[in-house]
Amino acid sequence: SGWFTDASATADGSGQYHGLTPARVADSRFGTGGLSKPLAAGQAVNVTLAGAGGVPAMTATVAPTAVISNVTVTNTGGVGYIVVYPSGTALPLASDLNYVRLDTHPNHTVAKLGADGKVTVYSGWSTSDVIVDVTGWFN
């Protein structure tokens, strides 16, 4: 069985998956969701996902721990990669999406949220526009 069917709730309700109708929460082409312009090579930007696109805000009773999103790059300037990871943590060594020049390329990602309800989106090697659409969350 797949990891979606293996997600199970604990006695306190944590670990449960909640699917969403896809919702655009950030788009650097239009300056939305904390992405005000294309990400340059080596640039990291925090994007708020808790409280956006159907993901609940972090409260004392609801605490989304991870978000599933479709991350897309477009208008790519060269070969590059994107990493999506919890805000306030170190840049991981693995990428979430790799691309080539003049590419439009999506990838589904699962990213743990930082304590502030945000993820960091990092662009390596090249400049690209980045789009983030949320599709689900875990608590």
Side-chain angles (χ1 to χ4, degrees):
S1 66
W3 68 273
F4 281 108
T5 57
D6 292 341
S8 60
T10 61
D12 66 358
S14 65
Q16 193 168 22
Y17 170 73
H18 306 272
L20 297 172
T21 299
R24 183 141 305 156
V25 295
D27 190 334
S28 65
R29 299 170 303 166
F30 304 109
T32 60
L35 300 176
S36 60
K37 59 185 177 181
L39 269 65
Q43 182 179 8
V45 176
N46 287 336
V47 176
T48 301
L49 295 183
V55 177
M58 292 183 149
T59 67
T61 57
V62 177
T65 58
V67 172
I68 299 176
S69 60
N70 193 51
V71 177
T72 303
V73 292
T74 191
N75 302 322
T76 58
V79 174
Y81 63 95
I82 297 293
V83 183
V84 181
Y85 59 100
S87 62
T89 65
L91 176 67
L93 297 177
S95 65
D96 290 292
L97 187 152
N98 302 308
Y99 59 87
V100 296
R101 186 175 177 269
L102 301 177
D103 199 8
T104 296
H105 189 84
N107 197 31
H108 225 93
T109 66
V110 178
K112 184 177 177 182
L113 294 175
D116 58 359
K118 298 178 182 182
V119 295
T120 299
V121 179
Y122 174 84
S123 178
W125 295 348
S126 181
T127 299
S128 68
D129 276 307
V130 178
I131 303 159
V132 180
D133 300 317
V134 296
T135 60
W137 60 280
F138 289 93
N139 66 320

